[in-house]
C-alpha cells in the first residue's frame, strides 16, 4: 500500500492528490500531516514566503496546465493556515471520506481561489464530501492528538515536506516524482 503525505496548504500536494491514482494505477492512502510543523523541524519554511514565490507560483500553474487540471487561482492571503483544514482532513479520514474531502478542499482552494481556513467554508466543503460535524470535530482534543502524532511519525519516517509518496521503503518527495514511483513499482 502506498501512502501520500499531504497538507491542504500545498499546491504541489493538490497536484499530486489530483493525479496520484491515475499515475500509480491505484489510489494511495492519503495521510494528513501538518507541513508547518515539518518546516519547523527542518529549519526552513515554504518557498511561498521567499523571493522565489513568483517562480514557484508560475511553476505550479505550468504543471496544472500540463496535467490538464483547471488553472490555479491563488486564494487571497495564500499560504493559508492549514491547521483547521488538516484537522478536518483527519475527521474525513475517520469518516471514510479522505479522498472526497481532500479533492473538494483542494478544488475550492486552488481552482476557485477560496480561503479554506474559514471554518464556515470548511464545514460546507465537508458536507459536500459527505463529512459531518466538522466544526465541532476539529476542536476535539483527540483529533488534535491524531494529527500531531501522524505529523511526528511522518517526520521520523523521513518526510521532509509535502507531497511525499511512500512506496515500499522508498520516499518520493514532490508531485513530479509520481512517475518515478510508478516505474519503481
Amino acid at each position: 500500500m502506498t501512502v501520500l503525505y499531504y497538507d491542504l496548504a500545498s499546491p504541489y500536494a493538490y497536484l499530486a492528490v489530483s493525479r496520484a491514482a491515475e499515475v500509480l494505477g491505484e489510489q494511495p492512502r492519503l495521510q494528513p500531516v501538518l507541513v508547518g510543523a515539518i518546516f519547523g523541524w527542518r529549519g526552513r519554511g515554504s518557498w511561498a514566503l521567499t523571493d522565489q514565490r513568483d517562480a514557484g507560483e508560475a511553476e505550479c500553474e505550468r504543471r496544472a496546465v500540463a496535467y490538464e487540471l483547471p488553472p490555479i487561482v491563488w486564494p487571497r492571503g495564500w499560504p493559508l493556515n492549514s491547521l483547521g483544514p488538516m484537522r478536518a482532513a483527519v475527521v474525513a479520514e475517520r469518516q471514510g471520506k479522505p479522498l472526497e474531502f481532500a479533492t473538494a478542499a483542494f478544488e475550492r482552494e486552488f481552482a476557485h481561489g477560496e480561503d479554506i481556513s474559514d471554518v464556515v467554508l470548511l464545514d460546507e466543503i465537508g458536507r459536500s464530501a459527505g463529512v459531518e460535524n466538522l466544526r465541532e470535530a476539529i476542536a476535539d482534543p483527540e483529533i488534535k492528538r491524531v494529527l500531531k502524532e501522524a505529523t511526528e511519525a511522518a517526520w521520523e519516517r523521513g518526510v521532509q515536506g509535502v507531497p511525499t509518496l511512500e512506496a515500499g521503503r522508498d520516499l518520493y518527495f514532490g508531485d513530479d516524482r509520481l512517475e518515478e514511483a510508478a516505474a519503481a513499482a
Side-chain angles (χ1 to χ4, degrees):
M1 169 59 108
T2 57
V3 178
L4 181 57
Y5 298 90
Y6 78 102
D7 185 308
L8 290 165
S10 169
Y12 287 113
Y14 159 62
L15 299 172
V17 169
S18 296
R19 62 193 205 92
E22 181 181 332
V23 172
L24 299 170
E26 68 172 345
Q27 178 59 50
R29 182 175 70 77
L30 298 181
Q31 179 58 62
V33 295
L34 198 58
V35 75
I38 291 171
F39 288 162
W41 293 325
R42 76 178 191 190
R44 69 185 194 297
S46 171
W47 54 266
L49 303 174
T50 72
D51 62 358
Q52 297 299 307
R53 181 181 178 126
D54 289 343
E57 286 181 353
E59 179 61 16
C60 291
E61 292 165 4
R62 184 196 65 75
R63 289 182 189 191
V65 169
Y67 301 152
E68 299 180 351
L69 295 171
I72 291 181
V73 178
W74 298 97
R76 183 183 185 112
W78 182 84
L80 306 172
N81 181 338
S82 67
L83 183 58
M86 293 317 296
R87 288 178 183 168
V90 171
V91 175
E93 181 181 41
R94 288 188 155 198
Q95 293 185 20
K97 303 284 186 180
L99 180 61
E100 295 86 346
F101 176 76
T103 300
F106 275 134
E107 180 180 329
R108 297 289 291 267
E109 182 178 15
F110 292 116
H112 298 285
E114 296 181 66
D115 180 352
I116 66 165
S117 67
D118 177 87
V119 71
V120 174
L121 178 60
L122 194 58
D123 192 50
E124 179 185 314
I125 293 167
R127 285 192 315 275
S128 77
V131 179
E132 302 298 325
N133 302 315
L134 274 185
R135 289 176 90 162
E136 299 81 16
I138 62 175
D140 182 336
E142 173 67 8
I143 297 301
K144 294 176 183 181
R145 182 191 62 76
V146 169
L147 180 58
K148 181 178 186 274
E149 289 178 359
T151 303
E152 289 169 351
W155 175 254
E156 290 170 9
R157 172 69 182 91
V159 173
Q160 297 285 304
V162 295
T164 294
L165 182 75
E166 180 178 352
R169 297 181 208 206
D170 297 319
L171 295 176
Y172 299 88
F173 174 58
D175 76 285
D176 57 343
R177 306 247 348 255
L178 293 178
E179 287 81 6
E180 180 183 346

